[in-house]
Structure formats: C-alpha cells, structure tokens
Amino acid sequence: MTNKEVTLGIDIGGTNTKLGFVNRLGFCLSEISIPTDSEKPFSDYTERILVAIEDLKSHINHEVDILAAGIGAPNGNYYTGYIEEPPNLKWGRTIPIVETFGKKLGVPVFLTNDANAAALGEMLYGVAKGMSNFVVITLGTGLGRGIV
C-alpha cells in the first residue's frame, strides 16, 4: 500500500460526520468534516458524502485509489452492516449503511460502533498501542465506550 492507496474512514456523529483518507501506516492524508443533518433524508446524506469525498481528493497533490471504507457510527452493527436504532440519528430504525455505501463507492465497506472504532484506532496507532486492556470513552452528541 502506497500513499496512492488509501482507506476511507467515516465517523458518523449526531452533529457532524468526519471523513479522512488514511494510509497503511495510519497517517491521515486528508480530512474534512460536514454536518450530519440527520433530519434531512438519508439519500441527501449519501450524496453529500460523495461530494465530500471528491473534496478530500482535491486536497491531495496526487491521485488516490480507495481500497476500502471503514465507518464508525452510533449503534453500528459490524455483523449486519446496519446502524440499528441510533439514539442521535433520525433516518429510521435500521439504516443499511454498508450496502448503500458499498454500491456507491464500489469498494468493500465495513461498519462498527463508533466507540469500538475509536478503541481499535487507539490500539493500532494511538496511545493504547501495545496495551491489552483499556477503555476508550467517547463524548460528543452521544456518549459511548469501547473496551479492549
């Protein structure tokens, strides 16, 4: 994997959604934040994400090849690919996030709970690197925790 080859990271929050291109070493090559606006239709959100991805690409001085996308979301279920009964999103009880973005992006898409994604990131690249037991607390529009 080179700097041309990236993973798209998407962190869906109740207020804002953050997107970034990350290389294999964990370096963020470009990042952006957009309002989540979950009171608007989910189809509007998916289109705004696609525009944001193009904006991300414009901030890098070379072409990128998106190999996969990882999404962290409140009540994101890794096994079903759905956001299930999210406490701070208004798109419905179950949101087919993996299927939707898989079709739109044409790459493998993975989903997990946002606090678990934060814990995994800290374990692989952050302050918890080398630790086998720790807790990450997330605080934003909602409250979450990831336990390793």
Side-chain angles (χ1 to χ4, degrees):
M1 184 174 196
T2 65
N3 272 347
K4 180 182 179 204
E5 298 171 320
V6 298
T7 297
L8 170 64
I10 303 174
D11 176 17
I12 302 173
T15 304
N16 293 300
T17 296
K18 297 174 188 86
L19 300 92
F21 288 139
V22 180
N23 69 14
R24 183 177 296 273
L25 299 175
F27 292 108
C28 187
L29 305 177
S30 180
E31 62 183 294
I32 193 169
S33 178
I34 64 170
T36 301
D37 288 337
S38 72
E39 65 280 347
K40 295 179 182 175
F42 182 63
S43 59
D44 175 73
Y45 178 75
T46 59
E47 292 307 313
R48 289 186 303 110
I49 289 292
L50 296 177
V51 169
I53 292 169
E54 292 306 311
D55 193 16
L56 274 174
K57 288 178 181 178
S58 74
H59 290 101
I60 299 176
N61 61 4
H62 55 80
E63 288 190 34
V64 294
D65 182 17
I66 301 173
L67 301 180
I71 301 173
N75 287 9
N77 187 322
Y78 173 84
Y79 299 102
T80 66
Y82 284 80
I83 299 174
E84 300 173 346
E85 300 190 35
N88 51 5
L89 300 174
K90 299 173 182 152
W91 295 314
R93 294 185 61 187
T94 57
I95 304 149
I97 201 92
V98 167
E99 178 184 353
T100 301
F101 282 106
K103 287 179 182 174
K104 295 210 177 271
L105 298 174
V107 299
V109 175
F110 302 91
L111 170 71
T112 196
N113 176 278
D114 51 355
N116 290 344
L120 183 61
E122 291 298 337
M123 182 177 72
L124 295 174
Y125 301 105
V127 297
K129 194 170 187 173
M131 294 179 157
S132 55
N133 299 294
F134 63 94
V135 176
V136 170
I137 305 292
T138 60
L139 180 60
T141 307
L143 175 67
R145 52 90 183 106
I147 302 171
V148 173

